[in-house]
Amino acid sequence: KRSAVIMALRIAQNQHGHLTQPVMHSVADYLELPRAYVYEVSTFYTMYRLEPVGRYVIGVCDSISCALCGAAALTKHFEKRLGIAVGETTQDGLFTLQHVECLAACCGAPAVLVNEHHYHDGMTPEKADALLEVLKNKGLA
């Protein structure tokens, strides 16, 4: 049952957008695990969100290769375009900006991850602008 908690929390997060205390309690009760254990897992791993996030979570990799190839400037560009700082969500609830750890795209640095599944490497401010426009107008396919 302990081995199922990571995936159960991911499923719950996908259904609810983020993990609330009642959601974590439900996971613990369903798996017959102590609630404290489920809370420990959900607060240890950065893939779990304990606060509401935007429809599109944009993660800019800040590991060494991306950092050396301009991730800080790219992050500043996203902050300026979106009008938010890292860790914040736009007022319309559309975008949340985050730092993420290595996306294993070092040869295409800097890299960006959208909603945990959509990788974009070789990211430039111009490509970032185009990505934001696609997300605003068409969304993810």
Side-chain angles (χ1 to χ4, degrees):
K1 292 180 182 181
R2 287 178 170 263
S3 64
V5 73
I6 288 176
M7 188 52 71
L9 286 170
R10 285 194 67 123
I11 291 168
Q13 179 172 273
N14 288 341
Q15 289 179 346
H16 299 280
H18 69 287
L19 298 174
T20 62
Q21 190 172 29
V23 169
M24 289 185 275
H25 287 178
S26 294
V27 169
D29 295 346
Y30 180 78
L31 295 175
E32 299 175 339
L33 293 170
R35 290 177 173 180
Y37 176 76
V38 172
Y39 183 77
E40 289 169 353
V41 172
S42 66
T43 57
F44 177 79
Y45 293 104
T46 58
M47 66 186 161
Y48 298 119
R49 298 182 293 268
L50 304 179
E51 299 293 329
V53 293
R55 179 173 178 196
Y56 300 110
V57 179
I58 299 172
V60 180
C61 179
D62 62 358
S63 293
I64 189 71
S65 293
C66 289
L68 291 172
C69 291
L74 182 61
T75 299
K76 291 290 183 202
H77 182 78
F78 274 117
E79 288 178 328
K80 184 177 178 183
R81 277 294 312 272
L82 297 172
I84 59 173
V86 170
E88 295 179 345
T89 300
T90 56
Q91 284 190 326
D92 61 6
L94 201 56
F95 297 103
T96 297
L97 183 61
Q98 300 179 329
H99 285 295
V100 294
E101 288 303 317
C102 186
L103 295 176
C106 297
C107 57
V112 169
L113 178 65
V114 179
N115 288 1
E116 299 180 6
H117 303 291
H118 300 273
Y119 288 86
H120 303 271
D121 61 2
M123 188 60 71
T124 64
E126 296 77 23
K127 288 181 180 180
D129 291 343
L131 174 62
L132 291 174
E133 287 306 311
V134 167
L135 294 175
K136 283 181 186 177
N137 297 318
K138 298 178 186 171
L140 294 171

